[in-house]
């Protein structure tokens, strides 16, 4: 079969994937409360991706089907009856952090954006509805070509949102600009294509009050919509979620099942849902401006930040109660770009770490053989059992197209070169365009 025919066949299979409804079910008290996903229509019959909560706290997700003519709430409540009675227990240090009685610290929320005013408004509305007692929101308008973002912020949000223009393109550059302006003890970062759960910021920042050694926290990311084949395919292969077990990563007590720790930064979380102790992130120099979307490196800025903070001896906390809903890419072309960018970002961030902290090279090389052996074992197991977590889409039904795997590998080969190219780009001109 020719290469073109193979690509056509993969696209045909891709387009056969049907839409999936997203729903949110809270098993609180005697009566379950069923809501559609953010901005979605009420749940009807058909396939449903369901978030299960208990007393407002996310505990599980599952994939199920509502038969035609059945009561969706009754069917989904029955399907969720086996969900954990409470959120999964984490490590002892993390449990202590989660039980903190102290109020969460003053926080700055930084949202970098570029020419997506409609999506940004949806994200800002959810951020301003947070139940956190004291926080600010900073929008960084990255290399804009129109005044749409500034007009939106000034017209709709006024003094409730701070606006700054960063003319140099790049997500890390934009995040560094927000970091420089942040007034909070903790600085949180999210994207313009999310809807934040009302408890998101409080849950994400509370661990900092309980653990003085905590440098970073990450949270749970779930799909806001699964309407297109691209969105379904991405989520069926893991999406951005990291599970429901709170976990503290401590460089003084590395996890035994992570031979490449702390270089396996993708396991810790993602840039759409992360927070740092502000003085800690500033002390490590913030994010490398030659990484991230909008640069030749394509990505890796968040992973770079995680590793730099861990390498300085600070802990990182994964907190699944801190939830944002993410609007996944919608088209096949988007997914191809994303696959290539993920591969490039992975090796670009590793290059950035070793260029900026060459003292870490011996530790990385020492861990590499065991890390590669474990990666091969996990791949073989996934190929044997069909992959996918319990309750997720079956990857045998929605196989990951070979073209996307090839694009990701090509991106990994390109990443170091992209990073080195990005290092020659202009630097930020901090101080311009602030309101």
């Amino acid at each position: 079969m020719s290469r073109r025919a193979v690509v056509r066949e993969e696209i045909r299979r891709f387009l056969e994937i049907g839409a999936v409804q997203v729903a949110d079910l809270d098993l609180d008290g005697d009566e379950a409360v069923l809501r559609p996903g953010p901005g979605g229509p009420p749940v009807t019959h058909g396939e449903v991706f369901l978030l299960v909560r208990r007393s407002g706290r996310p505990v599980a997700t599952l994939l199920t089907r509502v038969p035609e003519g059945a009561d969706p709430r009754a069917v989904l409540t029955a399907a969720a009856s086996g969900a954990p009675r409470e959120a999964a227990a984490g490590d002892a240090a993390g449990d202590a952090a989660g039980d903190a009685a102290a109020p969460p610290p003053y926080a700055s929320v930084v949202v970098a954006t570029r020419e997506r005013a409609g999506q940004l408004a949806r994200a800002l509305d959810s951020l301003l509805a947070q139940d956190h007692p004291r926080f600010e929101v900073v929008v960084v308008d990255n290399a804009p070509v129109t005044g749409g973002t500034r007009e939106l912020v000034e017209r709709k949000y006024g003094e409730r949102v701070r606006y700054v223009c960063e003319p140099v393109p790049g997500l890390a550059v934009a995040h560094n600009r927000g970091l420089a302006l942040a007034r909070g003890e903790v600085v949180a970062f999210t994207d313009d294509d999310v809807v934040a759960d009302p408890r998101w910021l409080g849950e994400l920042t509370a661990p900092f009050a309980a653990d003085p050694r905590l440098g970073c926290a990450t949270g749970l990311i779930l799909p806001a919509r699964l309407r297109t084949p691209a969105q379904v395919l991405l989520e069926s292969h893991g999406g951005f979620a990291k599970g429901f077990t709170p976990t503290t990563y401590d460089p003084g007590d590395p996890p035994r099942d992570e031979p490449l720790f702390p270089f396996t930064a993708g396991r810790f979380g993602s840039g759409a849902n992360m927070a740092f102790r502000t003085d800690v992130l500033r002390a490590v120099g913030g994010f490398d401006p030659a990484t991230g979307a909008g640069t030749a490196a394509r990505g890796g800025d968040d992973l770079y930040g995680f590793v730099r903070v861990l390498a300085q001896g600070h802990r990182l906390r994964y907190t699944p109660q801190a939830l944002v809903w993410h609007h996944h890419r919608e088209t096949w072309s988007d997914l191809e770009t994303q696959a290539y960018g993920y591969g490039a970002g992975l090796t670009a961030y590793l290059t950035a770490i070793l260029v900026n902290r060459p003292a870490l090279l011996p530790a990385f090389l020492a861990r590499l053989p065991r890390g590669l052996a474990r990666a091969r074992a996990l791949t073989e197991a996934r190929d044997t059992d069909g992959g996918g977590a319990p309750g997720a889409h079956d990857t045998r039904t929605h196989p990951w197209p070979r073209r996307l795997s090839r694009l990701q590998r090509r991106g990994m080969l390109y990443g170091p070169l992209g990073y080195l190219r990005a290092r020659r780009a202009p630097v930020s001109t901090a101080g311009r365009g602030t309101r």
Side-chain angles (χ1 to χ4, degrees):
M1 186 180 293
S2 69
R3 178 180 177 277
R4 183 174 297 178
V6 169
V7 172
R8 282 201 302 266
E9 175 62 18
E10 290 184 344
I11 293 175
R12 184 191 63 77
R13 294 204 321 264
F14 174 82
L15 293 174
E16 288 176 351
I17 301 173
V20 177
Q21 300 168 87
V22 176
D24 184 342
L25 181 72
D26 194 347
L27 302 175
D28 185 7
D30 296 332
E31 188 170 350
V33 178
L34 176 65
R35 304 180 184 88
V43 179
T44 59
H45 67 277
E47 199 168 18
V48 179
F49 177 92
L50 181 67
L51 168 66
V52 182
R53 304 182 193 241
R54 291 194 183 274
S55 300
R57 297 170 68 86
V59 296
T61 56
L62 58 90
L63 184 70
T64 189
R65 174 172 286 276
V66 176
E68 190 169 0
D71 176 14
R73 186 166 68 105
V75 171
L76 296 176
T77 300
S81 61
R85 301 302 304 177
E86 57 187 19
D91 53 278
D95 291 342
D99 293 336
Y106 177 41
S108 299
V109 182
V110 174
V111 185
T113 188
R114 187 174 190 270
E115 303 301 335
R116 300 204 293 191
Q119 292 191 57
L120 177 64
R122 181 179 58 202
L124 292 177
D125 289 344
S126 71
L127 292 174
L128 292 172
Q130 294 296 298
D131 64 3
H132 192 286
R134 199 160 68 100
F135 67 97
E136 63 170 355
V137 178
V138 180
V139 168
V140 182
D141 194 3
N142 190 214
V145 295
T146 72
T149 298
R150 182 166 196 151
E151 179 185 351
L152 168 74
V153 172
E154 293 181 346
R155 171 179 50 81
K156 183 174 181 180
Y157 300 103
E159 297 303 316
R160 293 183 296 163
V161 174
R162 296 170 65 195
Y163 171 91
V164 59
C165 175
E166 172 49 65
V168 176
L171 185 57
V173 174
H175 281 170
N176 283 341
R177 189 66 180 280
L179 173 64
L181 295 172
R183 299 166 179 159
E185 179 185 342
V186 171
V187 55
F189 299 89
T190 191
D191 293 345
D192 60 7
D193 55 1
V194 309
V195 174
D197 189 77
R199 297 170 58 166
W200 167 70
L201 188 59
E203 296 285 359
L204 188 64
T205 58
F208 290 94
D211 184 358
R213 284 191 54 203
L214 195 69
C216 179
T218 61
L220 178 65
I221 303 174
L222 293 179
R225 297 176 182 172
L226 294 172
R227 294 180 179 177
T228 72
Q231 293 172 330
V232 174
L233 188 63
L234 176 62
E235 193 61 32
S236 72
H237 287 265
F240 299 97
K242 309 299 178 186
F244 292 86
T245 302
T247 306
T248 298
Y249 295 96
D250 188 342
D253 184 21
R256 293 186 179 90
D257 62 344
E258 283 293 328
L260 275 173
F261 179 87
F263 301 102
T264 48
R267 177 167 178 173
F268 306 147
S270 299
N273 192 351
M274 63 182 181
F276 297 83
R277 202 177 295 275
T278 306
D279 58 0
V280 167
L281 187 57
R282 287 173 176 164
V284 300
F287 303 96
D288 187 322
T291 60
T295 71
R298 301 292 192 103
D301 53 307
D302 49 353
L303 309 183
Y304 176 88
F306 300 156
V307 174
R308 283 303 306 269
V309 166
L310 285 163
Q312 290 298 109
H314 302 281
R315 293 178 177 137
L316 183 151
R317 172 75 170 168
Y318 172 63
T319 307
Q321 286 73 40
L323 166 66
V324 299
W325 301 89
H326 181 261
H327 287 80
H328 293 350
R329 308 283 183 93
E330 294 188 351
T331 69
W332 172 260
S333 177
D334 289 338
L335 202 55
E336 287 185 329
T337 301
Q338 191 170 27
Y340 186 86
Y342 281 168
L346 174 63
T347 52
Y349 110 81
L350 287 172
T351 305
I353 287 291
L354 299 178
V355 166
N356 292 314
R357 288 290 306 275
L360 292 175
L361 180 58
F364 176 74
L365 293 177
R367 291 166 169 78
L368 191 56
R370 288 184 58 219
L372 292 175
R374 176 165 175 77
R376 281 195 301 270
L378 290 174
T379 300
E380 290 170 0
R382 185 163 57 246
D383 291 343
T384 300
D385 65 17
H393 287 316
D394 188 337
T395 57
R396 290 167 295 189
T397 302
H398 302 322
W400 189 250
R402 289 189 297 272
R403 175 166 172 76
L404 296 182
S405 296
R406 287 195 298 270
L407 283 169
Q408 191 163 5
R409 289 193 293 269
R410 289 178 194 169
M412 292 173 69
L413 292 174
Y414 165 81
L417 176 61
Y419 172 72
L420 296 175
R421 286 177 175 171
R423 281 175 66 89
R424 298 196 295 268
V427 296
S428 172
T429 53
R432 299 182 187 175
T434 304
R435 177 175 67 78

